[in-house]
C-alpha cells in the first residue's frame, strides 16, 4: 500500500515526459481506499507481492547491521560493564552501520518495489516472480543501474533513520533503568514502548527519502535522475504533501511491529543467558543492538 501511494502519480504519467506533465487526479483517496481498491482489483494475495524480497533484504541488512554496529561501538571504546557509550554515540554508531547496510539492502528494495507496483494498472512490466524480476532488471539495466537504482535515496533514509531508531530506543530504556540497575532490570513494557517509539522515529526521520526512492525504482523516466532532481520535481508537480504520502499507514504499522521486534529480542537474549550466563550481551547497561524491519 505504501509503495502504491508513493508512486501513483508518477506511474500515471510515465508514458509522457514527466517534465511537461501535471499530476492527474490521485487514484487513491487514502491508505484505506488504496487497500480496498487493490483487494477488489487484484485479490487479497496481491498485497503480498514482493514479500520474499523484503524478507531476504531484512536478513541481509540485519546481519550486516549487527556486525557493523558492534564493531563501531567497540572502536569507540565501549567495554560492557566497564565503559558505556552515550546515547549520542550509540545513535551515531547506528547511523554509520545503517549506511553500510544500505548497500546490501538496496537490490532487495528495487525488486520489492518492482513487484509491488504490478498491482497498479500503470505498471510498466510484469514479472513471474522474484527471480524473474531480478533477471529482467539485470538484463535490461545492468547491476549498477538496475539493482542499485535509488541507492542515494536509501542512504538518506537509512542514516538518519538508524540514528533516530537506536537513539530513541536507547533513550526510552535509559530513562527507565532503576538507580544502580542495568537494562536487564527493565520489564517488557519498557521494551515495547521503546520499540514502538523507535519504529515511528525511524520512518519519520526522513520519510521523503523513501518516497523519492520508490519513485526512482518504480518509474523508468526517473531511473537515470539523481535524488535532488526527483525530490524537487515531486514538490513542483504535487507539492510537499506528496513526499509524505503513505507515512501514516507506515508509522501505524511500524509501532506494533518494532515494539514486538525489540521485546522478542530482549526475551530471546534472556533465554540465551539462562542456558549460558557467559553469553556476550552487548546490551548491558544502556547499550543495545537490534535491527529494524524496512
Amino acid at each position: 500500500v505504501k509503495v502504491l501511494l508513493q508512486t501513483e502519480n508518477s506511474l500515471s504519467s510515465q508514458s509522457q515526459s514527466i517534465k511537461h506533465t501535471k499530476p492527474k487526479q490521485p487514484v487513491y483517496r487514502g491508505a484505506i481506499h488504496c487497500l480496498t481498491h487493490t483487494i477488489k482489483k487484484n485479490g487479497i494475495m496481491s498485497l503480498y507481492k514482493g514479500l520474499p524480497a523484503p524478507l531476504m533484504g531484512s536478513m541481509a541488512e540485519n546481519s550486516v547491521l549487527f556486525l557493523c554496529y558492534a564493531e563501531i561501538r567497540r572502536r569507540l571504546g565501549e567495554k560492557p560493564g566497564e565503559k558505556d557509550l552515550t546515547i549520542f554515540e550509540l545513535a551515531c554508531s547506528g547511523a554509520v552501520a545503517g549506511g553500510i547496510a544500505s548497500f546490501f539492502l538496496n537490490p532487495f528494495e528495487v525488486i520489492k518495489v518492482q513487484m509491488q507496483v504490478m498491482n497498479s494498472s500503470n505498471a510498466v512490466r510484469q514479472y513471474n516472480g522474484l527471480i524473474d524480476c531480478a533477471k529482467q532488471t539485470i538484463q535490461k539495466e545492468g547491476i549498477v543501474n538496475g539493482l542499485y537504482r535509488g541507492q542515494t535515496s536509501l542512504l538518506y533514509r537509512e542514516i538518519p533513520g538508524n540514528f533516530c531508531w537506536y537513539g530513541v530506543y536507547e533513550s526510552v530504556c535509559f530513562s527507565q533503568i532503576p538507580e544502580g540497575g542495568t537494562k536487564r532490570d527493565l520489564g517488557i513494557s519498557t521494551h515495547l514502548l521503546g520499540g514502538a517509539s523507535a519504529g515511528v522515529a525511524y520512518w519519520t526521520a526522513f520519510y521523503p527519502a523513501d518516497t523519492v526512492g520508490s519513485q526512482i525504482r518504480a518509474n523508468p523516466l526517473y531511473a537515470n535522475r539523481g535524488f535532488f532532481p526527483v525530490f524537487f520535481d515531486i514538490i513542483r508537480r504535487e507539492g510537499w504533501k506528496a513526499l509524505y504520502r503513505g507515512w501514516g499507514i507506515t508509522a501505524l504499522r511500524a509501532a506494533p511491529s518494532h515494539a514486538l521486534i525489540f521485546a522478542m529480542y530482549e526475551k530471546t537474549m534472556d533465554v540465551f543467558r539462562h542456558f549460558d550466563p557467559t553469553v556476550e550481551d552487548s546490551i548491558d547497561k544502556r547499550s543495545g543492538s537490534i535491527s529494524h524491519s524496512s
Side-chain angles (χ1 to χ4, degrees):
V1 172
K2 173 175 74 73
V3 171
L4 290 178
L5 288 171
Q6 290 174 328
T7 60
E8 58 174 329
N9 279 339
S10 69
L11 288 176
S12 66
S13 60
Q14 62 190 349
S15 60
Q16 307 174 49
S17 172
I18 288 180
K19 183 177 181 180
H20 299 97
T21 59
K22 294 182 178 181
K24 297 181 179 180
Q25 186 69 22
V27 178
Y28 310 112
R29 295 189 295 272
I32 301 300
H33 179 243
C34 179
L35 178 66
T36 55
H37 180 274
T38 301
I39 293 175
K40 182 178 180 180
K41 181 176 180 292
N42 299 313
I44 193 168
M45 292 307 297
S46 65
L47 297 176
Y48 295 92
K49 281 183 178 178
L51 181 61
L55 287 177
M56 295 174 64
S58 292
M59 289 189 290
E61 179 194 22
N62 291 351
S63 299
V64 176
L65 195 61
F66 281 136
L67 178 63
C68 294
Y69 186 56
E71 179 62 21
I72 294 168
R73 295 199 326 270
R74 186 185 69 81
R75 289 181 176 275
L76 288 176
E78 182 189 57
K79 296 180 180 179
E82 297 181 21
K83 178 185 176 181
D84 296 318
L85 299 181
T86 65
I87 297 298
F88 180 74
E89 288 173 325
L90 290 170
C92 287
S93 298
V96 175
I100 296 172
S102 70
F103 289 93
F104 293 83
L105 177 62
N106 197 70
F108 299 100
E109 286 283 304
V110 171
I111 295 171
K112 179 196 74 172
V113 170
Q114 294 285 357
M115 293 292 293
Q116 290 177 344
V117 296
M118 286 198 302
N119 287 330
S120 170
S121 59
N122 299 300
V124 177
R125 302 175 187 167
Q126 294 295 317
Y127 307 103
N128 295 321
L130 181 69
I131 302 300
D132 182 53
C133 179
K135 183 179 178 180
Q136 285 195 46
T137 300
I138 294 174
Q139 288 179 338
K140 296 182 179 180
E141 302 172 58
I143 294 178
V144 175
N145 293 329
L147 294 183
Y148 280 92
R149 184 196 302 179
Q151 175 62 40
T152 301
S153 302
L154 192 59
L155 281 170
Y156 288 156
R157 187 190 82 183
E158 291 296 296
I159 293 176
N162 278 286
F163 179 91
C164 293
W165 199 73
Y166 282 102
V168 168
Y169 179 72
E170 294 301 336
S171 296
V172 172
C173 291
F174 177 71
S175 68
Q176 299 301 310
I177 294 177
E179 185 176 356
T182 69
K183 196 172 179 182
R184 298 183 186 185
D185 300 317
L186 298 176
I188 191 172
S189 59
T190 300
H191 300 309
L192 288 170
L193 176 61
S197 302
V200 175
Y202 169 83
W203 283 107
T204 306
F206 194 21
Y207 185 81
D210 189 68
T211 299
V212 173
S214 293
Q215 296 268 21
I216 291 174
R217 297 182 188 103
N219 194 337
L221 295 180
Y222 278 143
N224 297 317
R225 301 183 67 182
F227 176 86
F228 287 106
V230 176
F231 179 86
F232 289 115
D233 191 62
I234 293 172
I235 296 174
R236 178 184 64 81
R237 297 179 64 251
E238 305 176 59
W240 283 94
K241 289 184 178 181
L243 293 172
Y244 290 90
R245 191 180 292 130
W247 173 84
I249 193 171
T250 302
L252 185 65
R253 178 199 67 185
S257 63
H258 290 237
L260 290 173
I261 287 173
F262 275 102
M264 291 303 296
Y265 175 79
E266 301 288 2
K267 289 303 177 182
T268 301
M269 291 301 298
D270 286 342
V271 172
F272 288 160
R273 295 188 202 103
H274 176 75
F275 290 102
D276 183 5
T278 64
V279 68
E280 175 64 22
D281 180 12
S282 61
I283 57 172
D284 185 39
K285 196 174 184 180
R286 292 192 298 167
S287 59
S289 61
I290 175 68
S291 178
H292 60 80
S293 173
S294 53

